[in-house]
Amino acid sequence: MFKLIYFILIVLFFNACSLTKYNYLNNYIDITKEKKYFTNDMCSTNSYLVKSRSIEYGDIFIEHINLDTSCQWNGLPRSFFDDLFKQKNHIKSMRILERIDLENFEFNTYLINDKYILNLIYYFSSFEDTFIVDYKGVLFTKIIKSFDKNYVNRYLSKQRYSSKYNSSLVNNNIIGNYFSKEIEFSDK
C-alpha cells in the first residue's frame, strides 16, 4: 500500500512540474487556444509549432520539442535553433547583444544584419525545449520583469526584425542531425 501511495505522489509531482511551464506561458499566451502544427520525428513526441498574433505581443513563433527519453541532443539546442533560423531567413549576421539566464529560461537579444533587433526566449527542461521568437519584444520584456522588476529592455524601441519563419528543428532533423537515439554499449 505504501508503494502505491509513493508512486502516486511521484507521478503527481512530475506532472505538476511539467505543467508549470505551460501555465507560466499561458499567463501571457493561451497555447491551448492556438492552432498547433505538429511536427514528427522518431525521437520526438508531442512536438509542435505555434504562430500567434495579438495586438499586445505582435507576431510570436513557438517551437516546442519533446524528446523521447531514449534520445539526446547532438549539440546545444539553442545554437541549433539559431543556425536554422539564420539559414532559413538568409540572415548574414546574427550577433547576441544581451543574454539573461533565469531559472530554466534563457533570454537573448540579437542584432540581425547589423540593423534589426530580435528577441528569443528559450525554455528548457530534461526532455523538453521551447523556443519563442518574439518579434516585437513585449512578451520577452514582460516575462523577464516577472523575475526582475528592475529590468529595462533598452532595445525595445529599436528597429525590429520581422520574418515569416516557419521551419522546425524536428522536421529538419533528418538533414541537420540535431538529435538522435542514444547508443547503448554492452559489456559483453
Side-chain angles (χ1 to χ4, degrees):
M1 180 68 172
F2 180 72
K3 287 182 181 180
L4 179 63
I5 292 171
Y6 181 72
F7 177 75
I8 291 171
L9 288 174
I10 287 176
V11 169
L12 289 173
F13 173 76
F14 284 110
N15 280 340
C17 289
S18 68
L19 290 174
T20 303
K21 173 187 54 92
Y22 294 112
N23 291 338
Y24 194 80
L25 189 55
N26 277 337
N27 289 337
Y28 305 98
I29 300 172
D30 189 357
I31 298 296
T32 61
K33 292 184 179 179
E34 297 290 341
K35 183 174 181 179
K36 293 178 184 170
Y37 300 91
F38 288 93
T39 55
N40 195 12
D41 183 85
M42 68 180 204
C43 272
S44 71
T45 56
N46 197 29
S47 297
Y48 57 84
L49 304 176
V50 171
K51 291 171 110 181
S52 175
R53 173 178 270 171
S54 70
I55 294 171
E56 182 177 8
Y57 299 122
D59 289 333
I60 301 285
F61 172 84
I62 300 168
E63 179 169 14
H64 175 75
I65 301 171
N66 188 352
L67 283 188
D68 184 86
T69 56
S70 66
C71 294
Q72 66 184 4
W73 286 97
N74 294 325
L76 299 173
R78 189 194 41 83
S79 293
F80 287 144
F81 185 86
D82 288 355
D83 291 344
L84 185 63
F85 187 84
K86 186 176 175 182
Q87 175 196 354
K88 294 296 183 178
N89 286 305
H90 309 287
I91 294 172
K92 294 176 185 167
S93 68
M94 188 167 157
R95 188 168 51 101
I96 293 179
L97 298 175
E98 175 182 52
R99 178 178 162 187
I100 299 168
D101 294 311
L102 298 165
E103 295 182 11
N104 286 27
F105 287 91
E106 182 182 301
F107 300 90
N108 294 286
T109 300
Y110 297 95
L111 180 63
I112 306 291
N113 295 333
D114 297 319
K115 186 175 183 180
Y116 305 103
I117 300 296
L118 176 73
N119 294 114
L120 175 72
I121 303 163
Y122 170 47
Y123 176 85
F124 54 92
S125 63
S126 297
F127 292 100
E128 292 183 297
D129 295 87
T130 304
F131 303 93
I132 305 167
V133 178
D134 182 3
Y135 293 102
K136 196 173 177 182
V138 174
L139 177 63
F140 175 91
T141 305
K142 210 170 196 180
I143 294 175
I144 293 175
K145 282 187 173 244
S146 72
F147 291 103
D148 177 6
K149 292 178 181 159
N150 297 320
Y151 174 75
V152 175
N153 187 339
R154 51 184 203 256
Y155 303 103
L156 202 54
S157 63
K158 306 284 185 193
Q159 191 172 5
R160 309 297 298 186
Y161 182 78
S162 180
S163 75
K164 301 287 184 200
Y165 183 73
N166 197 30
S167 287
S168 163
L169 289 171
V170 173
N171 289 344
N172 285 285
N173 187 46
I174 198 161
I175 297 166
N177 193 33
Y178 304 120
F179 40 81
S180 59
K181 293 262 186 203
E182 290 184 66
I183 299 172
E184 293 184 29
F185 297 100
S186 74
D187 293 338
K188 294 181 183 181

